[in-house]
């Protein structure tokens, strides 16, 4: 299948007064045309940095993209000028931020805010802007006559729908949704995700869905990437990961859930803490928490290796270097 976004060996760091924070280390990621990729990991693993990196929204300073490529339809976004990137942002790649409730301007009507997004990429006659604004509201299930109301007159779920309408206004090819439903209650979450699923199919938008909720991944994604301490540690189709997870961290994430069929699907933290990104361990980043850690894990850094189909894992247990241990590790 054709890729629309291809992140290669991306490395991002933040320079702080106390030292250099390694936020992303050698991240490789592929998003296929029309598909949804779930990016799963704990808080601080690098999910939002990756999303902002793709949008070229990492503040510099303190952020620095140390190396890598972000190929959108073969074009390296890291080499584009600011004007070209502004054109791509919103029109080609759109993002819904982690806290959508604060993304709306309280002193503008929702109609004005959608119209602003419509006009951000070119002048249009007033009548067309009004028409497009109403269409977008209808698309996300809000009666167009509410276009003159202010954000405070909307419920949380409705505000989130407005945010989605703004993000989809220019019919972007890629939508990056960073924890889009975390602030909503469970029923509304389900409705908003259902709406996003439906719109994505209808508009054939590819989506990078950032979440720490495996239930959301199971219901919405085609592919999954598990991120830990700024590295992708496992990648594959939803089926490959859910049926045959290999990395001890991924296994920890799944086994720490009471049951995938129960309503509570938040990740329960695995014993221990993610390493301080300023002082990452030399070998495998998960070695301090891994019950299968071997000497090699503390000394050498494992590479991603294919274990079948599109399934890849970053772990010495699955690199054929220590086959007998590999048996023990499963
Ligand atoms: Fe555990 Fe070693 Fe695999 Fe890292 S490489 S996850 S420490 S077994």
């Amino acid at each position: 299948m054709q890729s629309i976004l291809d992140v290669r060996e991306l490395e991002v760091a933040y320079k702080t007064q106390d030292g250099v924070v390694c936020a992303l280390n050698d991240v490789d990621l592929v998003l296929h045309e029309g598909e949804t990729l779930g990016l799963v990991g704990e808080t601080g693993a690098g999910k939002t940095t990756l999303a902002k990196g793709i949008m070229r929204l990492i503040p510099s300073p303190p952020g620095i993209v140390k190396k890598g490529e972000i190929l959108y339809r073969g074009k390296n976004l890291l080499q584009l000028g600011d004007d070209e990137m502004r054109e791509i942002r919103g029109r080609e790649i759109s993002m819904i931020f982690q806290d959508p409730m604060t993304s709306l301007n309280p002193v503008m009507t929702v109609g004005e805010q959608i119209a602003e997004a419509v006009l951000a990429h070119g002048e249009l006659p007033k009548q067309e802007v009004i028409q497009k604004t109403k269409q977008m509201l209808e698309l996300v299930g809000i009666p167009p006559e509410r276009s003159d109301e202010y954000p405070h007159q909307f419920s949380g779920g409705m505000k989130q729908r407005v945010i989605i309408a703004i993000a989809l206004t220019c019919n972007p090819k890629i939508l990056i949704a960073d924890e889009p439903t975390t602030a909503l209650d469970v029923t509304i979450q389900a409705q908003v995700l259902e709406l996003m699923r439906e719109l994505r199919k209808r508009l054939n938008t590819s989506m990078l869905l950032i979440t720490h909720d495996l239930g959301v991944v199971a219901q919405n994604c085609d592919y999954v990437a598990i991120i830990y301490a700024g590295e992708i540690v496992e990648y594959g189709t939803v089926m490959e990961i859910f049926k045959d997870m290999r990395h001890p961290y991924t296994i920890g994430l799944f086994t720490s859930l009471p049951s995938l069929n129960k309503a509570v699907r938040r990740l329960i933290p695995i014993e221990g803490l993610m390493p301080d990104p300023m002082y990452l361990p030399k070998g495998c980043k998960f070695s301090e928490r891994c019950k299968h850690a071997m000497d090699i894990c503390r000394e050498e850094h494992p590479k991603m290796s294919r274990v079948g189909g599109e399934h890849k894992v970053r772990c010495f247990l699955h690199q054929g270097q220590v086959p007998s241990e590999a048996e023990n590790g499963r």
Side-chain angles (χ1 to χ4, degrees), residues 197-313:
R197 226 174 11 241
E198 197 188 297
L199 294 177
R200 192 184 65 73
K201 279 200 188 121
R202 202 185 319 166
L203 307 171
N204 195 34
T205 316
S206 312
M207 181 155 77
L208 176 63
L209 179 58
I210 297 175
T211 181
H212 52 263
D213 187 328
L214 289 166
V216 167
V217 171
Q219 285 173 5
N220 295 280
C221 300
D222 305 290
Y223 287 82
V224 195
I226 310 285
I227 188 167
Y228 183 79
E231 282 184 347
I232 304 296
V233 295
E234 190 155 6
Y235 173 87
T237 63
V238 163
M239 197 60 98
E240 284 167 338
I241 304 288
F242 276 69
K243 293 263 182 234
D244 185 25
M245 65 209 77
R246 301 286 185 103
H247 196 282
Y249 177 63
T250 316
I251 294 170
L253 290 183
F254 278 80
T255 50
S256 59
L257 295 175
S259 158
L260 284 177
N261 298 322
K262 290 194 180 160
V264 179
R265 287 168 175 171
R266 288 286 180 88
L267 305 185
I268 298 164
I270 298 162
E271 212 175 298
L273 294 172
M274 212 159 39
D276 183 335
M278 223 178 276
Y279 307 102
L280 289 172
K282 183 175 163 199
C284 170
K285 309 280 182 287
F286 189 58
S287 57
E288 289 164 359
R289 297 168 85 181
C290 180
K291 59 181 184 206
H292 306 294
M294 304 163 278
D295 290 346
I296 189 176
C297 307
R298 295 180 193 96
E299 289 303 317
E300 288 179 33
H301 184 224
K303 298 214 174 316
M304 282 298 253
S305 82
R306 195 175 293 276
V307 290
E310 300 190 59
H311 194 178
K312 292 183 199 163
V313 62

